[in-house]
Amino acid sequence: MLSAVLFVCHANLCRSPMAEYAARRLLAGRPVTVASAGTDAVEGLAMHPYAATIAAETGDDPTSFRSRRLLPEHLTGAVLVLTATRRQRSICTALAPAALHRTFTLRQFGRLAAAAEPAGSEQDDPVRAAVAAAALARGRLQPAPGDADDLRDPVGGTPEDFRRCAEEIDRALRPLATLIGTAG
């Protein structure tokens, strides 16, 4: 059985597609699917050119990517929902309240996963095990100040702004990949 990880940002053109492609690389070989959507996305647009360049530089082919608007069923079908900002996390939990305990900002989940004990392999699903381990770590960490959980939107910025954003995404995803690896 494949678990689904869903990345959510505003327009599904930059942050969430970059996270989707990075997670696909980091979780290759694991029983995990990744997807992305945008809270305010226009359906069917190509990835932002700077984000596409970054994806292509890492060996991915972003030409077939098309944006999609976030729907409640995307949230209910995901085992883990990772958003670019706290605002998007709030939108997700308003659209699908049942997803509350498995919806985090990407940076928040990265901190929790880094602080978590290795995920138990007693669960059949390594993503569910990682979510449970991260939730337990939540009680041991101090809340992050202000907008520390938000991933800055690089739209309107330079290629270097997109590269910095991609590096932040990678830093947040590495602990997730490690935690899933301990469970599966």
Side-chain angles (χ1 to χ4, degrees), residues 4-93:
V5 177
L6 176 68
F7 295 96
V8 178
C9 71
H10 179 78
N12 193 216
L13 298 175
C14 304
R15 293 170 293 178
S16 60
M18 288 193 300
E20 175 185 346
Y21 279 62
R24 194 172 290 137
R25 280 190 317 277
L26 288 170
L27 299 172
R30 303 270 179 219
V32 178
T33 63
V34 293
S36 63
T39 56
D40 296 275
V42 173
E43 291 277 337
L45 298 178
M47 193 183 302
H48 187 286
Y50 295 158
T53 296
I54 290 168
E57 287 171 354
T58 59
D60 291 314
D61 181 7
T63 57
S64 64
F65 177 86
R66 292 295 174 260
S67 60
R68 68 180 186 159
R69 187 172 185 84
L70 180 67
L71 299 173
E73 53 266 27
H74 298 147
L75 298 163
T76 57
V79 172
L80 175 61
V81 178
L82 297 172
T83 67
T85 66
R86 293 170 292 150
R87 178 185 173 278
Q88 287 138 7
R89 184 182 61 205
S90 293
I91 291 169
C92 288
T93 58

